Amino acid sequence: MNSGRPETMENLPALYTIFQGEVAMVTDYGAFIKIPGCRKQGLVHRTHMSSCRVDKPSEIVDVGDKVWVKLIGREMKNDRIKVSLSMKVVNQGTGKDLDPNNVII
């Protein structure tokens, strides 16, 4: 599905932005979340899903779930954009930032 042009970060939310996304895929190491307004997905690693230890991400989220996430990292790697997200620093009920000074990250 590559359109022939390199990916850009223009359509991505700014660093430390909080938004609600939909779980697109769950793996052994985390969950991929659809980023609203762009075709990109970001990864919530299992270490960023909860303040408790998560062994199986599938016990926390399912495909199609809506979750609150904070964009905690974005980088270009081999002409691809890698987006890192965190669920544990956002209240999943209200979307409130639990780490407004970005200390935990």
Side-chain angles (χ1 to χ4, degrees), residues 67-93:
V67 293
W68 288 100
V69 292
K70 185 179 206 177
L71 198 153
I72 58 170
R74 51 192 217 170
E75 63 177 317
M76 287 294 287
K77 206 170 197 177
N78 302 328
D79 286 335
R80 292 190 54 92
I81 300 171
K82 186 177 165 192
V83 180
S84 301
L85 304 171
S86 177
M87 288 172 53
K88 74 178 179 182
V89 296
V90 184
N91 180 305
Q92 291 302 304

Side-chain angles (χ1 to χ4, degrees), residues 13 23-24 27 31 46 53 59 63 65 71 81 83 94 96 100-101:
V23 178
T27 68
R46 63 188 187 147
R53 182 182 167 99
E59 293 176 352
V63 171
D65 286 356
L71 198 153
I81 300 171
V83 180
T94 63
K96 183 179 184 309
N101 298 321

Side-chain angles (χ1 to χ4, degrees), residues 1-10 12 25 29 32 35 39-43 73-84:
M1 223 164 96
N2 190 347
S3 62
R5 32 175 219 249
E7 295 178 335
T8 65
M9 293 196 196
E10 288 172 14
L12 288 178
M25 183 171 66
Y29 53 87
F32 287 91
I35 299 172
R39 295 184 335 218
K40 196 80 190 126
Q41 295 177 358
L43 173 68
R74 51 192 217 170
E75 63 177 317
M76 287 294 287
K77 206 170 197 177
N78 302 328
D79 286 335
R80 292 190 54 92
I81 300 171
K82 186 177 165 192
V83 180
S84 301

